[in-house]
Amino acid sequence: MNVRPVRAYPGVDALRPETDVVFLRENTEGVYSGHETRLSADLSTLTRVVTSSASERLAEFGCEYVRDKNADGFHVVHKANVMRETDGRFLEAVTDVAATHEIPTETVLMDAFGTRICLEPDTFDVVVCPNLAGDVLSDVAAGLVGGLGLLPSANIGPNRGLFEPVHGSAPDIAGNGTANPAATILSAAMLLEFLGHNDDGQRVRDAVEATLAEGPHTPDLGGRRDHRSSRRRSHSLDSESHF
């Protein structure tokens, strides 16, 4: 399961400062399963994989998550009106598990959700999504709070977890003085909490929030580029060019 919290922070010029939503995304199936075929020079196909078992695991995780966070329930985002077999299976599995645990749910078509999250982000708290929908819609929500540089994420399995910023490590901008480390550090806070070090995780989170509130800021948040890093990188490249 993929966990992507999206929230606005003090000191950041967010489009929607009221945004505070967590996306719980199935992370193994859907169109990301890798079943693509080029059948001819004109035709390629993609097989979408959805199982009840994976959908139920996500739902169980979602029920446990909202209980731990004292949330009222969760929204289920889907497109079962068009993808009746695949999203229909996902929707049925998730809502059945939630009903068993007496967790309130509200279903939302993913295209309608795309509009509502931009206009009324404060109407959402926890959102349960299929793989592709969770990936795309959480990135859309990132635009409401200041960008992908603020979004941590966790990939949680039965026994282990992997923690990383939503945008990845961004090696293409390494050394330019432009990378925002907030998402990486916030991912480390999620790791600490996963390991049971809740107080330490909160200390890391508090430090990030204090820095965002007081500055300095990276260029994606309106700050200035670190020219010293740029000069160091240029000097390094110039030196390498002599070898």
Side-chain angles (χ1 to χ4, degrees), residues 1 25-30 49-62 89-90 93-94 97 128-130:
M1 276 66 65
R25 163 191 166 203
E26 202 292 315
N27 206 29
T28 64
E29 298 187 334
V49 177
V50 175
T51 64
S52 296
S53 55
S55 303
E56 289 166 357
R57 284 195 298 272
L58 175 64
E60 293 282 355
F61 183 86
R89 178 182 293 275
F90 174 83
V94 171
V97 169
V128 174
C129 302

Side-chain angles (χ1 to χ4, degrees), residues 112-224:
F113 178 88
T115 298
R116 285 182 58 190
I117 190 64
C118 295
L119 298 177
E120 305 171 328
D122 55 340
T123 62
F124 298 103
D125 185 3
V126 179
V127 179
V128 174
C129 302
N131 202 343
L132 175 63
D135 188 13
V136 173
L137 293 172
S138 61
D139 283 7
V140 170
L144 305 178
V145 301
L148 289 172
L150 296 172
L151 266 63
S153 73
N155 300 283
I156 307 296
N159 302 307
R160 297 176 176 84
L162 184 151
F163 300 81
E164 61 182 350
V166 166
H167 58 65
S169 60
D172 56 317
I173 59 174
N176 286 340
T178 59
N180 187 340
T184 301
I185 299 170
L186 290 168
S187 297
M190 295 178 71
L191 168 61
L192 287 168
E193 292 166 350
F194 176 76
L195 296 173
H197 301 291
N198 293 332
D199 291 343
D200 292 328
Q202 188 59 53
R203 288 174 60 196
V204 172
R205 201 182 310 279
D206 291 343
V208 171
E209 292 189 15
T211 302
L212 290 172
E214 300 171 11
H217 290 156
T218 46
D220 59 314
L221 302 180
R224 296 182 61 186

Side-chain angles (χ1 to χ4, degrees), residues 42-54:
D42 184 55
L43 175 64
S44 295
T45 63
L46 170 64
T47 299
R48 188 169 192 258
V49 177
V50 175
T51 64
S52 296
S53 55

